[in-house]
Structure formats: C-alpha cells, structure tokens
Amino acid sequence: AMTRTPPLGTNFPLFYVTGVLPFQVFTTVGNKISSALRYSRPLLEFPSVTVVDALAARFVLNFIIECSVFLILAYLIIHFYDLRVIVNVPMAAEAMVLAGMLALGIGTFNSVLFVAFPVYEMVYGVLTRPLMLISGVLFLVDEMPTVMKDWLLWNPVAHPIALMRGAFYPGADIAFDSPFYVFMVSLVAFTVGLV
C-alpha cells in the first residue's frame, strides 16, 4: 500500500532513496567514526599519527563511499523509471554535507564514550533503533500532528532528510528545516568529543 502512493511524487523508490540514503550517511559514517579509535589503535602507536588523523581518515573514506552510492542509486532510479526530475543540486549537496557533519560530530563524541564506557555503546544502539522511524525516512515530518511534529523537529537527523526531499521534490514543505540547528548540534558534539 505504501509503495503505490508515496507521500511525495509518484515513484516510491525515489522517495525511499531520498530519505534512506541521507539517513545512511549519518548512521554508517557515524558508526565508522565511533569505532575509529578502537579500529586504529595499532596506528595510534606511531608518534606521527594522531586521534584526529584516525577520525578524519574514517570520515573521508566512508563519506565519499556513501555519497557515491547515493549518486549511483538516484541516477539509476531516475533513468530506469524515466522520471522527469529537476534536482536542486546545491540543496542536495547541502543535505549530504549536513548529514556528514552530524555523523562526524556524533561519531567523534561516541568514539570517546565507547572506549571509556563500553556499556554506553549498547545503550546508544538501543536508543537509536527507532531513529529511522522518527527521522522522516518513511513518512513526512511536516504531515505529523503538531504535537508530534514539535518533538520530532528536535531530532537533528530529520533536517538533512527533509532538505534532501526538498531538493528532489520542489513542492515539499521544508519550512521547518534548520541547517543552523544541525550545524550547532554537530559542532557541539564534535568539540566535546575532541576535548
């Protein structure tokens, strides 16, 4: 029933990709950065390799991979279904950068806590399980009742997803989107993680 009539447009695969891949940038890149200190422990024995080097390397590699996957899938869906889509490329790029910044910030914060408190890794995994549902991947945040929408907007992951939808669907209502909020959450998490 959901695939017949997506909330935006007429093609469910495109609707799904524009939601799930920015979400994947956050989760996949964030998880890779979170495990960077544990993964790169032998490299950190060298005096010239710093913690920032390990975090940056994991970020750059995984962010480029996720962006490449998004470009390939979006291109294939648009051409396979012969869709007439005018993509706002700067807005789509901004959405991916915001998702990447959020992944870097939360991942850096978590990389320290995962090493310091192993229990936190399990708690974080449990707490973020419903994140896909409350981030607007399968539904639109702006179509939720006002009480729920007000709470969902505190979720920084929902903002890059909404921005990506706005890039592919010009009629999408993304008035609630706040890149500044995502930037500040990312910056605070990144700074606390580095400190």
Side-chain angles (χ1 to χ4, degrees), residues 6 12 30 45 105 132 139 158 176 194:
F12 182 76
E45 299 294 324
M132 185 172 180
F139 61 87
F176 66 86
L194 285 182

Side-chain angles (χ1 to χ4, degrees), residues 118-128:
V119 173
Y120 173 72
E121 188 170 359
M122 292 187 307
V123 171
Y124 180 78
V126 170
L127 291 177
T128 57

Side-chain angles (χ1 to χ4, degrees), residues 25 28-30 32-33 36 52-68 100-101 103-104:
V25 168
T28 304
V29 175
K32 296 291 184 180
I33 294 170
V52 175
D53 296 333
L55 295 172
R58 297 283 279 188
F59 172 73
V60 170
L61 173 67
N62 290 290
F63 184 69
I64 289 173
I65 289 171
E66 292 298 323
C67 288
S68 301
M101 285 173 41
L104 179 62

Side-chain angles (χ1 to χ4, degrees), residues 147-166:
V147 175
M148 284 184 75
K149 180 181 174 182
D150 291 343
W151 282 102
L152 293 177
L153 292 181
W154 286 100
N155 174 8
V157 183
H159 296 266
I161 293 170
L163 196 61
M164 183 63 76
R165 294 263 166 76

